[in-house]
Amino acid sequence: MKTSQIISGAVAAGRKVLLETEAKTLCMAYGIPVTKFELAKSEAEAAKFADKIGYPVVLKVVSPDIIHKSDVGGVMLNLKDQSEVKAAYRQIVENVKKRQAHAKIVGLLVQEMAPSSTEVIVGAIKDPQFGPAMMFGLGGIFVEVLKDVAFRIAPITEEEACEMITEVKAYPLLKGYRNSPPADVKAIAQILINTSKLVMDHQEIKELDLNPILVYEKGAKTVDARIILE
Ligand code: ADP
Ligand code: MG
């Protein structure tokens, strides 16, 4: 499917927020690495997909009505076998029914569980005057509490992508410290450049959030992607 069809499909269905499956499919089309995923419609299907993806897996609710999945008990991590996957499936459906009774559940996403590592955030937000702007920061308290972020107007060059990474105050954490190895800064820069291309090509995007991206010594993986349309 062409990437523009994903967006026009959502618009036709009256949705402003892309499903995680749609947002990640867009990302993949632009070479942005994401965790492997399959959309399950039943417990049995979830178990089958988990076997195929390999354990441990993550299970997440997919709903056009839910933006923050963990707030409604819609994310369960580190599921190690079929019986844990099936139990988590029932638990998530029950949590969502209890906390957001009217949310439509499209299915549950079975996802490869990315090993924990340094978390970064890549975002884009459309300014009415300047068009899309790119954002970069480290995950958790760095962005949310300390507002330690870098911005550039899109499209960004490779040089600008590298500057964005090195100019945040938390940058030394990416260079490695004590026992933690350096993070793959080149992989982050490539994600920034590819995300910049994605939002430039699709001007209907008002906001994009890759939060978090787990960064390793070699490579990086986006575990959650959110795209909001104008
Ligand atoms: P939310 O809609 O609440 O932001 P997320 O998909 O970001 O939901 O999941 C919540 C948290 O669970 C993430 O911030 C991340 O720490 C963890 N997580 C989610 N998916 C994965 C995954 N595939 N591998 C590892 N950790 C994950
Ligand atoms: Mg998230």
Side-chain angles (χ1 to χ4, degrees), residues 20 24 34-36 56-61 66-72 74-78 110-116 119 211-214 216 221-226:
E20 183 174 336
K24 283 188 169 169
V34 301
T35 41
K36 273 186 234 148
V57 296
V58 174
L59 218 55
K60 296 187 200 182
V61 67
I66 299 170
I67 297 192
H68 298 286
K69 300 174 289 284
S70 19
D71 291 356
V72 295
V75 178
M76 294 189 77
L77 306 172
N78 207 22
V110 185
Q111 211 168 93
E112 152 193 21
M113 168 115 184
S116 58
E119 296 190 356
N211 179 14
I213 299 167
L214 294 170
Y216 303 100
K221 226 153 222 190
T222 305
V223 309
D224 186 21
R226 185 156 26 243

Side-chain angles (χ1 to χ4, degrees), residues 192-208:
L192 275 162
I193 294 163
N194 293 350
T195 306
S196 159
K197 284 195 191 117
L198 192 166
V199 294
M200 288 306 291
D201 285 353
H202 300 283
Q203 293 286 329
E204 310 92 322
I205 296 175
K206 189 174 145 207
E207 256 177 74
L208 172 153

